[in-house]
Amino acid sequence: RSGEMAKLTQLIDNEVFQAYATYAVIVLLKMMLMSLITASFRIRRKAFANPEDTASFGKGENAKKYLRTDPDVERVRRGHLNDLENIVPFFGIGLLYALSGPELSTALLHFRIFAGARIAHTFAYLIPLPQPGRGLSWAVGYAVTISMAYKVLKTAWYL
């Protein structure tokens, strides 16, 4: 049993794992921030999806007018959905990648580029910036995840 604890301690002391944990937390916090931004937009635009959310704006027909979609709220929601589609795979593939024994400098490059691309993607979505900014930031992050997945497959299954 103490041998298992030693292995866990070795993992926590591993610099690549520490780098992964750092950048995973950064992008997860960024993704969580999108929930707060969505809520903020809903409140400012008075555009809610659920009847109970309109209660502070009145009752009956008066409250029903706040059950609506708003283009700005939907834009933030699409950005958040894009985060879910990209950060969740990074979370799993990045962990496997960190455990596959990459060089620290290469791992840091992967993690930093991914985090930077996702942050740039968020700004491109929220401002909004003209294309191809959003598309390029998405593609860069996606390519990083594919690169890590390839390294994991190459290491684990000798592709």
Side-chain angles (χ1 to χ4, degrees):
R1 188 102 190 148
S2 64
E4 291 175 23
M5 289 302 281
K7 290 178 188 176
L8 182 59
T9 303
Q10 288 172 347
L11 176 63
I12 292 170
D13 288 341
N14 180 296
E15 288 181 306
V16 172
F17 181 79
Q18 290 172 354
Y20 162 75
T22 299
Y23 286 95
V25 167
I26 288 168
V27 295
L28 287 171
L29 286 172
K30 189 216 79 61
M31 187 170 66
M32 291 171 61
L33 179 62
M34 292 300 287
S35 295
L36 297 176
I37 293 170
T38 301
S40 170
F41 270 68
R42 283 196 181 284
I43 291 166
R44 285 187 286 154
R45 304 293 195 279
K46 295 184 174 107
F48 301 99
N50 303 302
E52 63 272 17
D53 298 337
T54 66
S56 62
F57 297 102
K59 301 257 188 243
E61 292 301 315
N62 191 36
K64 282 185 182 177
K65 67 183 177 185
Y66 299 112
L67 286 174
R68 62 187 183 84
T69 59
D70 177 88
D72 294 330
V73 172
E74 292 306 308
R75 183 171 193 84
V76 175
R77 290 183 70 230
R78 287 190 306 272
H80 191 190
L81 179 60
N82 194 276
D83 275 351
L84 289 168
E85 294 168 350
N86 290 274
I87 292 174
V88 171
F90 168 82
F91 196 67
I93 291 171
L95 176 60
L96 295 173
Y97 173 74
L99 298 174
S100 73
E103 291 292 323
L104 177 61
S105 61
T106 305
L108 279 169
L109 188 64
H110 277 97
F111 302 151
R112 288 174 177 164
I113 290 173
F114 180 84
R118 291 313 305 168
I119 291 167
H121 184 269
T122 297
F123 281 114
Y125 230 122
L126 295 180
I127 290 176
L129 297 177
Q131 284 288 26
R134 190 179 81 238
L136 284 173
S137 60
W138 171 83
V140 167
Y142 200 82
V144 167
T145 303
I146 295 296
S147 173
M148 290 187 301
Y150 175 76
K151 168 70 164 99
V152 169
L153 290 173
K154 185 177 172 192
T155 302
W157 288 291
Y158 305 103
L159 294 179

